[in-house]
Amino acid sequence: MPRNRVLTAVVAAASISLLASACVGSSDSGANDDPDAKTTLTFWHGWSAPSEVKAIEENIKSFEKKHPNIKVKIVKGVTDDKLNQALRTGGSNSPDVVSSFTTDNMGRFCTSNALADLKPFLDKAKIDPAKVFVPSMAKYTEHEGKRCTVPLLGDAYGLYYNKDAFKEAGITEPPKTFSEFDKVVKKLTKPKGDTFERLGFMPNYLGYETTVEHYGNAFGVQYLDGNGKSNTAKDPAVKNMLKWQKNLVDELGGFQKLNKFRTSLGDEWGPKHPFHTGQVAMQLDGEWRGKMAADAGLDFEIGAAPLPVPDDQVADYGKGYLSGTILGIANNSPKKNAAWELVKYLSTDTEAVVSFANAIHNVPSTVAALNSPKLNDDPVYRTFVDIAQHPKSSHAPSSVNGGAFLLTLQDSAQKYENGKEKDLDALLKKNDEQVDKDNEQAG
């Protein structure tokens, strides 16, 4: 499920207001329908690429064979703003089962009661989320102890690198710490006048996938304190992350030079992605990039490794940022028991999870699927499978205001990297004040 996480977060933030304006449902699941009766479920999802749509359709066909009394009407390519509107208003054409790419919006789904509480269904089926799902994925699909979603495949982020460029520069292995990384980036970089023939790595926050959220896991950032208050001014990891990134930007020629180069690069989702063309030698990205690179027919060999960590956290090397699709039942659906059968199948049936993961090149979200002998054994892909299982791999915490706090920090980071804000302590204090104000208004 390749997707631009920054764009997704922006869309999520825009759609949050739809849910914030009212409590969209009761906390009572109210599942009274007969799951064995003949019925039709409506399933909304966000996938739109032909291969992705075909893969989910194949899984739905398999489900219908196992549950001949249930037919599933599939609606593809649904955006989060349309999804949120349907969950809020209901109606005969609204969905029974929904999936969303916006993991950051999960807290809003739960607190607004837009999605049904899945705990009664899980308990009845004797499914322990902490044991069935990858632990970190089980964690990011609940909010403050309430489980209104389950994971449906995941994304793990790591570092892709151009093996030919490494060999040319005499680099024998991917860097494990950021001090090693900075040296490798500069060694791989080939300046060309006021631009670059090749850049070792694009660190800018406007670069593809190089967001504060994706860097944050490597530094062990704690965005919120135990009371849900913004913690960026107090957490030394935040300062370390921003200072490291700003220093690398400056050493590569400064924000303006890098940004000029960035704006000349090809589309993130097309064959002219700068990593594909060799214009960028290393790329922070998800597991899907390996398949996209293969499809682009590159004339060089690629490798993948975990993103480096700060020098004083080398024992944690191997971890990475995680995200993924979340799956739930619309709280206004009158067919919750039948809907649960579909949710349970898509999220916990090992064969279904493995076949879907292989088809769209995502990381499985169940422990059994990760250990399946049928899972893709490509070594580049397997790097991300390993990252997903690292005990310190994680997603940012859920929030009543969705991912808005991440967008606020991203905006602050951009002001610091381009020199508009020089006092980092003052900047982070203002960041905390803004996040707390926004969260108070939302919840």
Side-chain angles (χ1 to χ4, degrees), residues 41 64 83 197 316:
L41 297 174
E64 290 176 332
L83 172 61
E197 177 183 335
D316 294 338

Side-chain angles (χ1 to χ4, degrees), residues 2 160-162 164 198-199 208 265-283 285-302:
Y160 287 90
Y161 59 97
N162 183 326
D164 289 14
R198 183 179 71 202
L199 187 61
Y208 300 147
L265 302 175
D267 177 67
E268 180 173 7
W269 308 117
K272 297 299 182 182
H273 185 288
F275 181 70
H276 298 172
T277 61
Q279 293 169 284
V280 173
M282 294 188 292
Q283 177 68 44
D285 221 327
E287 73 287 333
W288 61 79
R289 179 59 52 192
K291 185 176 186 301
M292 295 182 77
D295 291 344
L298 308 189
D299 59 2
F300 57 87
E301 188 178 358
I302 69 170

